[in-house]
Amino acid sequence: MRTSGEHTVWRRSGSHSEEYEAARRGFLLGKMVYDRRRELGLSQVELAARAGMTQPQLSRLEGGGVTPTIPLLERLAAALEVDLVIDFQPHAAA
């Protein structure tokens, strides 16, 4: 933050942009789970039972509030009838 005349100017620092990216990834993962669950016509309770988790845990995941482990992602993929693909890709050219 810096002051410019009578106004405060906010700037995103490096750590904030990292936190933003982590939150964005969590949100996108949650949206993918939510969208697929809806495609299958499952409730949160039904999907949670299939994946061996509780409905509140699933709700937090769909909301982007947790970072799931790989074993949980594997169980979710099986419960959602999809393949889990984890990939490393080179950075896109700027």
Side-chain angles (χ1 to χ4, degrees), residues 1 21 30 34 44 46 49 58 62 68-69 73 75 77:
M1 173 178 77
E21 282 302 311
Y34 170 84
Q44 283 188 341
E46 292 167 324
L58 179 59
E62 285 187 355
T69 63
L73 289 174
R75 293 195 319 266

Side-chain angles (χ1 to χ4, degrees), residues 56-78:
Q57 289 171 322
L58 179 59
S59 178
R60 285 190 298 275
L61 188 139
E62 285 187 355
V66 296
T67 302
T69 63
I70 292 174
L72 176 56
L73 289 174
E74 290 170 335
R75 293 195 319 266
L76 275 169

Side-chain angles (χ1 to χ4, degrees), residues 7-85:
H7 300 280
T8 301
V9 179
W10 293 92
R11 302 231 185 256
R12 210 184 300 175
S13 70
S15 66
H16 288 138
S17 61
E18 290 171 17
E19 292 169 7
Y20 173 82
E21 282 302 311
R24 186 183 67 80
R25 286 188 301 270
F27 173 78
L28 291 175
L29 175 64
K31 183 170 178 354
M32 286 188 287
V33 171
Y34 170 84
D35 289 346
R36 179 62 181 158
R37 177 177 64 78
R38 298 289 300 213
E39 285 175 17
L40 294 173
L42 298 172
S43 69
Q44 283 188 341
V45 171
E46 292 167 324
L47 177 57
R50 283 185 177 195
M53 59 193 304
T54 66
Q55 180 276 326
Q57 289 171 322
L58 179 59
S59 178
R60 285 190 298 275
L61 188 139
E62 285 187 355
V66 296
T67 302
T69 63
I70 292 174
L72 176 56
L73 289 174
E74 290 170 335
R75 293 195 319 266
L76 275 169
L80 291 168
E81 303 170 5
V82 295
D83 293 324
L84 175 62
V85 178

